[in-house]
């Protein structure tokens, strides 16, 4: 049914809601199937924190451990590296190519400062594990209450 732009039946709020629904539908299609979540960037990382520090794991399949650089400054962790491109051999062509290659950098802020000289890292089966002890100055202190 055709209505005049500002006549009876027109509601700018209803039009805004329709526009928002359309944009949500469009953006959900571009990110993959509805309900799927896409990692913000490579590598996918998980962070666990506890009273003494944090543990970070990163999925780095196909990355040479010698190509990984980890740095910690105060409360910021940075992981850098590169993954070499798998080149097709003579007589082969790619049918599908989904694994990315090249350099990567991920940095994020921890909820506390880390003791940089005590950070340890290990790499096993394509998973990098980083243990970050909490800096002494940032550790919670238990305060004893004295009764008068």
């Amino acid at each position: 049914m055709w209505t005049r732009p500002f006549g009876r039946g027109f509601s700018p709020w209803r039009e805004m809601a329709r526009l928002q629904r359309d944009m949500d539908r469009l953006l959900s299609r571009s990110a993959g199937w509805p309900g799927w979540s896409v990692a913000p960037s490579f590598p996918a990382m998980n962070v666990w924190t506890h009273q003494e520090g944090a543990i970070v794991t990163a999925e780095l399949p196909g990355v040479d451990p010698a190509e990984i650089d980890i740095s910690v400054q105060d409360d910021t962790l940075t992981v850098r590296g590169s993954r070499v491109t798998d080149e097709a051999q003579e007589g082969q062509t790619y049918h599908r190519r989904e694994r990315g290659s090249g350099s990567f950098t991920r940095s994020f802020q921890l909820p506390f400062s880390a003791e940089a000289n005590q950070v340890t890292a290990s790499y096993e089966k394509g998973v990098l594990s980083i243990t970050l002890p909490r800096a002494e100055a940032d550790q919670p202190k238990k305060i004893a209450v004295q009764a008068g």
Side-chain angles (χ1 to χ4, degrees):
M1 172 167 104
W2 185 82
T3 61
R4 288 184 297 217
F6 296 104
R8 285 179 22 160
F10 176 79
S11 167
W13 305 116
R14 189 174 10 184
E15 288 299 311
M16 289 299 291
R18 184 189 60 78
L19 179 62
Q20 184 174 7
R21 279 192 311 272
D22 291 346
M23 290 301 293
D24 288 345
R25 190 175 322 117
L26 175 69
L27 293 174
S28 70
R29 287 181 186 157
S30 66
W33 295 102
W36 285 18
S37 63
V38 178
S41 57
F42 180 84
M45 300 177 100
N46 291 334
V47 181
W48 294 271
T49 60
H50 49 82
Q51 189 110 0
E52 293 81 34
I55 298 170
V56 176
T57 60
E59 295 178 359
L60 296 167
V63 176
D64 182 2
E67 297 294 320
I68 301 171
D69 177 43
I70 302 166
S71 62
V72 177
Q73 184 173 5
D74 296 325
D75 62 350
T76 303
L77 170 69
T78 303
V79 178
R80 290 183 179 89
S82 63
R83 181 164 53 188
V84 180
T85 304
D86 295 333
E87 296 299 327
Q89 296 178 2
E90 187 69 32
Q92 295 179 340
T93 56
Y94 277 103
H95 173 69
R96 188 173 192 97
R97 190 174 198 174
E98 295 181 353
R99 291 184 60 200
S101 61
S103 298
F104 61 87
T105 301
R106 286 288 309 265
S107 290
F108 57 89
Q109 192 171 10
L110 298 166
F112 51 79
S113 292
E115 199 67 57
N117 59 352
Q118 295 179 4
V119 173
T120 59
S122 63
Y123 184 81
E124 186 176 339
K125 296 182 181 176
V127 178
L128 175 68
S129 297
I130 306 167
T131 303
L132 301 130
R134 181 178 268 189
E136 186 66 35
D138 271 356
Q139 289 194 10
K141 305 286 188 244
K142 183 165 176 115
I143 309 298
V145 178
Q146 299 178 6

